[in-house]
């Protein structure tokens, strides 16, 4: 019961994860839930409060601390998991949306018109995604990069065959 309820709360709190701080916040609330459930279910004997205050406080701290430690570890290990299993999480999409990435900076400096076009398309894509229930972050990032090759590819067409002259 304890694992099921804490797992459900974790899923509920991390469903629309937009940054790593939300992951830590989820760990905090799950830790509180685990502490309360441990007290209710008798895992932590609150009646020992009178004669073993230290033991009860340690148990409460462990119940809370495990959830917080888990969220901190997941926050640090998440990039490794994403790379190993080739998973793109909402946090990955947010990192790709960073305008300080070298490719986005280059686009901004070398092709400001294309850069502005990508920003406008991203706003439209994000609004459309929200309207239909799609992933707005993913749509926004894909719109940022949809035209990325245009300014960097020079199309040089050389006509090697002569055009016949009409006399």
């Amino acid at each position: 019961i304890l694992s099921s309820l804490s797992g459900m709360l974790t899923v509920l709190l991390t469903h629309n994860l937009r940054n790593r701080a939300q992951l830590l916040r989820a760990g905090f609330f799950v830790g509180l839930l685990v502490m309360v459930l441990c007290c209710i279910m008798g895992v932590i004997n609150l009646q020992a409060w009178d004669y073993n205050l230290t033991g009860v406080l340690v148990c409460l701290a462990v119940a809370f601390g495990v959830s917080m430690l888990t969220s901190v570890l997941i926050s640090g290990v998440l990039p490794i998991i994403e790379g190993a299993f080739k998973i793109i999480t909402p946090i990955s999409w947010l990192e790709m949306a960073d305008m300080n990435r070298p490719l986005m900076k280059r686009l901004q400096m070398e092709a400001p018109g294309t850069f502005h076009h990508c920003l406008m398309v991203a706003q439209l894509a994000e609004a459309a995604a929200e309207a239909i229930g799609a992933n707005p972050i993913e749509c926004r990032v894909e719109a940022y990069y949809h035209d990325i090759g245009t300014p960097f590819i020079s199309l040089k067409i050389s006509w090697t065959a002569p055009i016949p002259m009409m006399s």
Side-chain angles (χ1 to χ4, degrees):
I1 294 174
L2 181 66
S3 295
S4 297
L5 290 175
S6 63
M8 284 190 277
L9 182 62
T10 303
V11 169
L12 181 69
L13 292 174
T14 59
H15 176 67
N16 288 323
L17 198 64
R18 293 186 74 105
N19 57 43
R20 296 191 193 279
Q22 286 179 322
L23 189 60
L24 298 175
R25 189 189 76 201
F28 176 80
F29 287 116
V30 170
L32 291 178
L33 176 72
V34 169
M35 277 185 0
V36 169
L37 288 176
C38 283
C39 292
I40 291 172
M41 297 172 65
V43 175
I44 297 175
N45 183 9
L46 290 179
Q47 294 171 347
W49 189 273
D50 293 334
Y51 60 90
N52 190 6
L53 178 63
T54 308
V56 172
L57 291 177
V58 166
C59 289
L60 288 171
V62 167
F64 178 77
V66 166
S67 295
M68 283 302 297
L69 181 63
T70 301
S71 68
V72 169
L73 289 175
I74 289 297
S75 176
V77 174
L78 191 59
I80 297 168
I81 294 171
E82 290 169 345
F85 294 105
K86 303 206 183 313
I87 299 169
I88 298 177
T89 65
I91 294 175
S92 301
W93 287 114
L94 287 171
E95 289 170 350
M96 286 186 268
D98 181 13
M99 289 295 149
N100 289 319
R101 294 176 74 91
L103 189 57
M104 293 308 286
K105 280 186 163 186
R106 182 175 171 203
L107 181 66
Q108 187 175 9
M109 297 305 292
E110 295 180 21
T114 302
F115 177 76
H116 184 263
H117 161 73
C118 290
L119 292 179
M120 294 298 104
V121 171
Q123 286 182 337
L124 292 171
E126 187 173 15
E130 287 174 353
I132 64 170
N135 185 343
I137 300 168
E138 181 178 347
C139 290
R140 178 172 32 127
V141 171
E142 289 170 351
Y144 284 159
Y145 292 93
H146 86 278
D147 219 3
I148 203 76
T150 304
F152 305 126
I153 298 172
S154 62
L155 298 174
K156 294 182 181 177
I157 301 172
S158 65
W159 295 94
T160 55
I163 300 173
M165 301 283 286
M166 297 190 121
S167 16

